Amino acid sequence: MEKTSEINENNQIRIGRNADAIAKAFLDNLYYLQGCTLMNASLNDLYMALSYTVRDRMLASWIQGIQDIVDSNMLEYNKTVAYLSAEFLPGPHLANNLVCLGILEETRKAMKHLAVDLEELMNQEEEPGLGNGGLGRLASCFMDSLATLSINAIGYGIRYEFGIFDQEISNGWQVEITDKWLRYGNPWEIAKTELSQEVYLGGYTEPYTDNNGRYCVKWNPSRIIKGVPYDTPIIGYGNGKCNTMRLWKSEAVVSFNLQDFNIGDYYAAVEEKISSETITKVLYPNDEKESGKQLRLIQQYFFVCCSLKDMIRLHFSQNEEIESFHKHFAIQMNDTHPSIAVAELMRLLVDEYHLAWEKAWQITTGALSYTNHTLLPEALEKWQLDMFKSLLPRHLEIIYEINFRFLKDVEKRFPGQTELLTRMSIVDESSGKYIRMAHLACIGSHSINGVAALHTDLLKNHLLHDFYQLWPDKFHNVTNGITPRRWVNVSNQELSSLITENIGPRWLKEFHLHISDLERYQHDPVFHEKWRKVKQQNKALLAAWIQNKTGITVSTASMFDIQVKRFHEYKRQHLNVLHIISLYNQLKDNPDAAIPPRTFMFGGKAAPGYFMAKLIIKLINAVGDVVNNDRSINDRLKVVFLPNFNVQTGHIVYPAADLSEQISLAGKEASGTGNMKFSMNGALTIGTADGANVEIREQVGADNFFLFGLTTPEVFNLKSQGYNPRYYYETNPNLKRIIDQIASGWFSGGDTGLFRPLVDSMLNQDEYLLLADFQSYIDRQHEVNKTFLDPDLWTTKSIVNVARMGTFSSDCSIMEYAKNIWKIRGF
Ligand code: NBG
């Protein structure tokens, strides 16, 4: 009996999971949704048809996932996590969904049968580039783990019409191209128009007394905008749990102002529509120096307002009491971008649901928690008070009230400390008036966390020290993690199969418990052989990609030394360049030097307005031009810029790396997650004691990690003594030679002006202490070379790196949030 129903189910065109059913469904979707047949379908038609076929197989769990959230409001203490994030970088969905659904092999068969190249379809997908880098990708790794751990969750964000720009390299410079990711359709999302929300902006407030004699405030906005949710399913690995990423698109409430239309002013009528739609048009770069962009504040408020109202709607679907809201929703604010949620939730509770301030405050702080992702002062958001007031007049009043009550408490705890009050106030009056969003987030949350142990310590002892003194128990550390599903299984199928062959498949679901089983193979010669073969295959794939994209030929026998991440001075890609030039000089001086061949690769985008970051990209390409074309180097060094680094290219890059460069100045990188992606794919790391590098080194062992550079306390010390970069320049002839070469136009066809700003910055300020760390870096690189020349030693270290990465699975991070911050039952 059971057998028959199984067969029936397997054959059902919408849900069957065998190759036959998948093939039929695919042809069906191709015909009825794309309007074509195999004979005349474009690659995109095929991709769309297959994606719909896969989505169909997720729908039952997806609908159930929403129902789970609705139901959880009835049960005591059962919670839904709302992950509020202005950025998500999910990467291509197709391959990941096939893997998580467990239908990759059957789909492969189905496509083979129809003579369709599955790989080609996967490459057809335009990834949603709805984030800048680590922060957005973390949000997506967390969404994967939430589903895999069967936690009810919604990821709330913004559906940017244009995501992060596509990067091209022209004459060595970065050129930005608009990312039109929605151009050919997005088969994964479903618009839920009937769940739209209204968002107010501008205008003025008006006090009134209600029927019960209570003091109330009414907000009369000058603009109303509609937020339309677009849902994307986020499926867990092998457990049938499906959560939702709900992204808001802005629209005009009424698309045509009929009055304007009737009197013939067609253009004025359309104007409102255009200006409303502008709100979710484009993603802002994260490290643009200029701050205070009005549209960015509107974006933040827009998605926060829609999301909170959506949560309340869900809450009321099974629960009549707003008072229990925080018992059913744990809202995580991903950095300060959504921190206006503190004031907005207060506004909703006090103004719209008429709760008393104290009760509303209890619910707000009970529901909200805040993750800090940066210590860089220039990245801490603050808004000009006047602008803030003109957009969110009611929120400003609420913030004043929050601040007034807060400062009264501080005064009570630490009487007479006026400087402390000035430092902690939400309103910064040091020069001009600003709203400090990090302070609002800290005050309005029950938990504040950093993203790596070192980072959390620095928050406690420096950036947020005053808050730590006041509320030590509010502070937590949750070290970031990455999902081994996407970052090993989907992107490194060869390695994945080798691991499964040897330790079984459990590592995919519970990476932290099982991956250490690999350790027993660290000295096994047969395993070594296979391990190296996988790496070679991955390197060959990347080499082919490079040939295709850049025309540069690289040797897979060379060490693949890779630094991929956003371009920023603190990440010190230019320190890497100093090392390249050092090796180049060494080889020129002594062609017989025992230096293994290396291919240096860089990838990453610079914020369009960040001049120095763009100049560093130019420097890399300029040095590459000289080194790659110098016959006397005989291909022993190559420098390659990997254009348009994103999640999709990450899939090819991380598995192919021998060496991972994590060389930020200690104390500057909050965590880093690229460091984890490399190690989990068997690269060794050269890195500073910064961010999560510290914990990675602890886990993999000091012998299996190339540490260099100053520690954070040493950095503080050196800076407080008055750091003088010229001292290092004058006393280190190798370093002096390199900097002089750059300055003299060696890499710029004699142009001494081109890299002048970089040279000046290194010699005169060197804010990120490149010169101080230079020699230590060079020394460690010597050791890297020596180790690489011993393939057995290198392979052992590579295996050990993967085997000891258990705690860096994002499953572990999510379990910690669930237990210590969200207090979810069962954790
Ligand atoms: C980034 C940090 C990284 C960290 C990610 C994720 C921001 C503001 N911060 O070090 O620079 O890994 O956040 O936590 O993008």
Side-chain angles (χ1 to χ4, degrees), residues 134-135 138 286 335 373-374 451 480 570 669-673:
L135 176 134
L138 184 78
N286 63 350
D335 220 76
H373 291 269
T374 182
V451 290
N480 283 166
Y570 85 78
E669 188 71 88
S671 163
T673 45

Side-chain angles (χ1 to χ4, degrees), residues 136-195:
R137 182 53 228 175
L138 184 78
S140 287
C141 280
F142 281 2
M143 289 304 292
D144 174 281
S145 288
L146 283 160
T148 298
L149 292 166
S150 299
I151 297 174
N152 296 332
I154 306 183
Y156 283 110
I158 300 173
R159 184 177 176 275
Y160 301 105
E161 186 178 335
F162 305 118
I164 185 80
F165 61 87
D166 287 331
Q167 177 195 55
E168 284 180 8
I169 300 297
S170 169
N171 189 26
W173 293 98
Q174 166 177 296
V175 176
E176 298 96 22
I177 315 283
T178 319
D179 162 53
K180 299 185 184 145
W181 71 290
L182 291 165
R183 163 174 48 172
Y184 300 120
N186 174 6
W188 302 103
E189 66 181 9
I190 296 182
K192 294 286 166 81
T193 315
E194 71 281 17
L195 302 182

Side-chain angles (χ1 to χ4, degrees), residues 214-359:
R214 251 177 53 116
Y215 172 85
C216 300
V217 177
K218 182 164 184 285
W219 177 12
N220 300 302
S222 57
R223 279 177 80 185
I224 303 179
I225 290 141
K226 187 162 75 174
V228 183
Y230 283 69
D231 287 1
T232 303
I234 306 291
I235 191 136
Y237 179 77
N239 64 347
K241 174 71 178 175
C242 192
N243 282 324
T244 296
M245 175 169 71
R246 179 161 284 174
L247 305 180
W248 300 94
K249 173 181 191 279
S250 63
E251 283 187 8
V253 176
V254 192
S255 56
F256 288 93
N257 186 328
L258 287 179
Q259 204 177 341
D260 286 338
F261 196 61
N262 287 340
I263 58 172
D265 196 352
Y266 176 79
Y267 293 99
V270 180
E271 220 163 67
E272 170 63 20
K273 178 172 162 59
I274 294 172
S275 95
S276 298
E277 286 176 358
T278 307
I279 294 173
T280 54
K281 273 268 176 253
V282 66
L283 166 78
Y284 278 104
N286 63 350
D287 33 19
E288 200 95 44
K289 286 272 149 80
E290 190 192 338
S291 67
K293 288 218 173 77
Q294 172 165 310
L295 188 57
R296 192 175 158 103
L297 175 59
I298 298 179
Q299 284 185 339
Q300 296 182 351
Y301 176 63
F302 166 78
F303 98 91
V304 163
C305 171
C306 291
S307 306
L308 285 171
K309 286 182 171 182
D310 191 58
M311 286 175 231
I312 293 174
R313 177 189 65 79
L314 283 162
H315 182 72
F316 280 137
S317 62
Q318 289 288 355
N319 197 315
E320 286 170 7
E321 292 188 344
I322 190 71
E323 281 84 352
S324 63
F325 178 75
H326 58 301
K327 293 186 180 161
H328 298 294
F329 276 94
I331 307 174
Q332 192 67 35
M333 297 187 283
N334 199 24
D335 220 76
T336 51
H337 317 145
S339 56
I340 188 67
V342 176
E344 173 64 3
L345 188 51
M346 284 301 287
R347 185 190 72 79
L348 289 166
L349 297 173
V350 172
D351 291 358
E352 305 210 348
Y353 296 98
H354 302 289
L355 294 187
W357 182 275
E358 291 75 13
K359 184 74 209 165

Side-chain angles (χ1 to χ4, degrees), residues 405-417:
R405 290 171 184 245
F406 167 69
L407 292 177
K408 216 166 63 181
D409 282 353
V410 177
E411 167 68 27
K412 226 187 279 165
R413 276 283 302 280
F414 304 100
Q417 298 200 30

Side-chain angles (χ1 to χ4, degrees), residues 622-733:
V623 171
D625 279 346
V626 170
V627 172
N628 298 349
N629 296 312
D630 187 331
R631 287 278 174 87
S632 72
I633 291 299
N634 205 13
D635 288 345
R636 290 169 73 186
L637 299 181
K638 279 275 163 78
V639 182
V640 180
F641 194 92
L642 311 167
N644 201 35
F645 184 70
N646 57 13
V647 177
Q648 199 154 17
T649 45
H651 286 185
I652 310 167
V653 169
Y654 296 114
D658 293 307
L659 186 69
S660 152
E661 299 268 354
Q662 306 300 333
I663 60 177
S664 52
L665 175 64
K668 296 292 177 191
E669 188 71 88
S671 163
T673 45
N675 46 5
M676 302 168 188
K677 290 162 200 160
F678 279 115
S679 285
M680 231 183 242
N681 282 281
L684 306 195
T685 306
I686 184 163
T688 49
D690 198 14
N693 291 355
V694 178
E695 289 154 85
I696 292 176
R697 179 167 175 268
E698 272 166 21
Q699 290 296 320
V700 304
D703 289 351
N704 302 308
F705 188 107
F706 299 100
L707 179 74
F708 77 95
L710 298 168
T711 61
T712 309
E714 287 166 347
V715 170
F716 279 121
N717 231 334
L718 185 58
K719 287 211 166 175
S720 69
Q721 287 164 9
Y723 171 59
N724 175 17
R726 274 187 195 268
Y727 165 80
Y728 298 88
Y729 169 79
E730 305 289 358
T731 55
N732 187 333

Side-chain angles (χ1 to χ4, degrees), residues 32-246:
Y32 288 104
L33 294 176
Q34 294 305 113
C36 53
T37 68
L38 264 188
M39 300 292 289
N40 56 15
S42 69
L43 201 53
N44 194 60
D45 288 325
L46 299 173
Y47 159 73
M48 294 288 280
L50 183 60
S51 300
Y52 285 125
T53 306
V54 175
R55 196 184 79 180
D56 285 345
R57 278 144 188 81
M58 301 165 79
L59 267 161
S61 330
W62 194 11
I63 292 166
Q64 185 57 46
I66 295 286
Q67 192 55 42
D68 289 347
I69 290 171
V70 169
D71 290 345
S72 74
N73 286 288
M74 290 190 295
L75 307 169
E76 192 75 5
Y77 302 128
N78 208 351
K79 279 189 181 173
T80 294
V81 174
Y83 200 81
L84 285 189
S85 181
E87 302 189 8
F88 285 94
L89 278 175
H93 294 287
L94 178 56
N96 188 64
N97 288 341
L98 287 170
V99 162
C100 288
L101 283 168
I103 57 170
L104 179 61
E105 284 320 311
E106 290 299 307
T107 304
R108 222 187 269 290
K109 268 193 239 161
M111 292 300 108
K112 204 167 162 203
H113 179 69
L114 298 172
V116 172
D117 184 344
L118 179 60
E119 295 298 320
E120 227 183 352
L121 299 202
M122 287 175 177
N123 292 335
Q124 175 66 20
E125 181 166 354
E126 283 254 12
E127 73 172 74
L130 311 182
N132 277 287
L135 176 134
R137 182 53 228 175
L138 184 78
S140 287
C141 280
F142 281 2
M143 289 304 292
D144 174 281
S145 288
L146 283 160
T148 298
L149 292 166
S150 299
I151 297 174
N152 296 332
I154 306 183
Y156 283 110
I158 300 173
R159 184 177 176 275
Y160 301 105
E161 186 178 335
F162 305 118
I164 185 80
F165 61 87
D166 287 331
Q167 177 195 55
E168 284 180 8
I169 300 297
S170 169
N171 189 26
W173 293 98
Q174 166 177 296
V175 176
E176 298 96 22
I177 315 283
T178 319
D179 162 53
K180 299 185 184 145
W181 71 290
L182 291 165
R183 163 174 48 172
Y184 300 120
N186 174 6
W188 302 103
E189 66 181 9
I190 296 182
K192 294 286 166 81
T193 315
E194 71 281 17
L195 302 182
S196 297
Q197 295 290 353
E198 283 193 351
V199 179
Y200 290 6
L201 285 175
Y204 61 98
T205 64
E206 210 178 355
Y208 68 97
T209 311
D210 73 5
N211 295 339
N212 303 321
R214 251 177 53 116
Y215 172 85
C216 300
V217 177
K218 182 164 184 285
W219 177 12
N220 300 302
S222 57
R223 279 177 80 185
I224 303 179
I225 290 141
K226 187 162 75 174
V228 183
Y230 283 69
D231 287 1
T232 303
I234 306 291
I235 191 136
Y237 179 77
N239 64 347
K241 174 71 178 175
C242 192
N243 282 324
T244 296
M245 175 169 71
R246 179 161 284 174

